[in-house]
Amino acid sequence: MSAASHSDMPRALITGIGGFTGHYLARELEWAGYDVFGIVHGRHPMDSKQFAVDLCDRDQLADAVTTIQPEVVAHLAAISFVAHGDVEALYRINIIGTRNLLQSLANLTKPPRAVLLASSANIYGNAPVEIINEDVPPSPANDYAVSKLAMEQMAHLWLDRLPIVVTRPFNYTGVGQAPHFLLPKIVGHFQRGQNIIELGNIDVERDFSDVRTIAHIYAALLQQPPTGEVFNVCSGKVYSLKNILALMAEIAGYEIEAHVNPAFVRTNEIKRLQGDATRLREVLGSIDCIPLQETLRWMFESGSF
């Protein structure tokens, strides 16, 4: 087990710090004055502030948490790909892994003053309304969404011991997102100058945000945690795949032809996900959302796909 540093700065723990969102949030928390520690899985720790831990190993996780003694915690570690093939692992990591973390944090002599759990807007499924606020009843349409909703329900058991806030991020993207996700796949095709792209359901609409906006919001919620609250994290704007392809054509200077590949078509596909961030704005004030076109240009010019 790596030794924690002896800095007098308040400590932040990010599970899944090696993932897409983790290093963006780490940077935000460092700017806010935290000494940032992380938990990684399936990779070698980058430095002494990272701990290689399997969230499903309760003893190993408890040792890491006790060593770090975090003041704030952002739990990002999860299987986050909706079409992930190992359903058993999806439920085990997203629910049991989270429970193990909450148990370890609650057992500390001085529990953290803020614990953020990243859930997902996927829990809403095919909602009966166009614009979704937090009061819309969940209707999960896939195992990933069910696992996240179950995680939220399980977390209620710890509210008397831990100051938990739950976020339900809608779709977001940026440099560093895995290429099998939709927008990196589209951007990558344009970067390579390809003329045809094969997609699944093309009649879907999504509310997209920039990962840098998401990280900024998470850091802000950890600064002033509204314990027990649930927040949509979204832009409030919805884009169809045709909109995305048109934006990318403008950025890249040419159009691409989209073909439907039946192998990529998901059953129970959620047709539309558009969020209402009113509750979040009431707590944080105005939110500076990076426009999607700016995000896509950043990704296109990064050359990382």
Side-chain angles (χ1 to χ4, degrees):
M1 185 68 69
S2 302
S5 73
H6 298 287
S7 168
D8 291 331
M9 300 163 61
R11 295 180 176 184
L13 168 61
I14 301 174
T15 70
I17 196 170
F20 170 49
T21 316
H23 78 274
Y24 289 101
L25 179 55
R27 184 172 60 188
E28 288 282 343
L29 291 174
E30 287 167 356
W31 288 341
Y34 287 93
D35 194 9
V36 178
F37 293 79
I39 285 177
V40 297
H41 179 59
R43 57 178 288 181
H44 188 73
M46 299 294 290
D47 55 47
S48 62
K49 294 182 181 180
Q50 291 189 8
F51 296 74
V53 173
D54 180 350
L55 293 180
C56 293
D57 186 326
R58 286 180 293 177
D59 293 338
Q60 186 184 46
L61 179 58
D63 286 345
V65 167
T66 301
T67 300
I68 297 167
Q69 294 287 320
E71 182 169 323
V72 300
V73 178
H75 179 42
L76 308 182
I79 292 178
S80 58
F81 187 49
V82 172
H84 186 78
D86 190 341
V87 175
E88 181 180 344
L90 189 152
Y91 281 103
R92 186 173 65 250
I93 293 169
N94 291 0
I95 303 172
I96 301 302
T98 301
R99 189 189 189 285
N100 289 343
L101 175 66
L102 296 178
Q103 178 71 71
S104 296
L105 295 173
N107 286 345
L108 291 173
T109 302
K110 183 182 178 182
R113 65 169 184 81
V115 179
L116 183 147
L117 302 182
S119 182
S120 171
N122 256 271
I123 68 154
Y124 294 117
N126 283 298
V129 296
E130 284 197 351
I131 301 177
I132 301 169
N133 64 28
E134 294 85 352
D135 295 325
V136 171
S139 182
N142 52 65
D143 285 298
Y144 167 71
V146 172
S147 76
K148 284 296 190 177
L149 180 58
M151 180 204 73
E152 289 189 23
Q153 295 298 313
M154 178 272 299
H156 285 137
L157 301 176
W158 303 90
L159 282 175
D160 60 337
R161 284 168 282 178
L162 292 169
I164 296 170
V165 58
V166 173
T167 61
R168 292 174 179 167
F170 284 64
N171 294 69
Y172 62 93
T173 190
V175 174
Q177 189 174 32
H180 58 255
F181 284 91
L182 178 61
L183 264 59
K185 176 179 178 178
I186 292 173
V187 173
H189 275 65
F190 277 96
Q191 283 178 325
R192 293 185 294 270
Q194 294 175 266
N195 295 311
I196 295 175
I197 184 169
E198 291 188 345
L199 299 170
N201 305 77
I202 61 173
D203 59 341
V204 298
E205 297 177 304
R206 294 290 185 268
D207 183 328
F208 285 103
S209 295
D210 188 298
V211 64
R212 296 167 293 183
T213 300
I214 301 297
H216 182 74
I217 290 170
Y218 284 3
L221 286 172
L222 286 169
Q223 288 289 83
Q224 47 177 9
T227 299
E229 292 287 344
V230 177
F231 294 96
N232 286 342
V233 182
C234 55
S235 69
K237 297 181 179 179
V238 72
Y239 296 85
S240 68
L241 285 189
K242 288 183 179 179
N243 296 148
I244 301 296
L245 292 171
L247 287 173
M248 280 307 307
E250 182 178 340
I251 292 168
Y254 80 98
E255 294 184 357
I256 197 170
E257 186 176 344
H259 292 176
V260 175
N261 184 336
F264 298 158
V265 175
R266 295 177 187 166
T267 57
N268 300 321
E269 179 68 90
I270 299 172
K271 300 299 183 183
R272 178 188 176 96
L273 269 179
Q274 181 177 4
D276 179 350
T278 299
R279 183 183 295 181
L280 185 67
R281 288 194 298 268
E282 288 173 350
V283 171
L284 299 183
S286 62
I287 301 169
D288 186 15
C289 294
I290 299 172
L292 181 59
Q293 187 169 16
E294 183 178 328
T295 304
L296 292 173
R297 186 177 299 278
W298 170 51
M299 294 166 69
F300 180 73
E301 294 176 350
S302 73
S304 63
F305 297 104

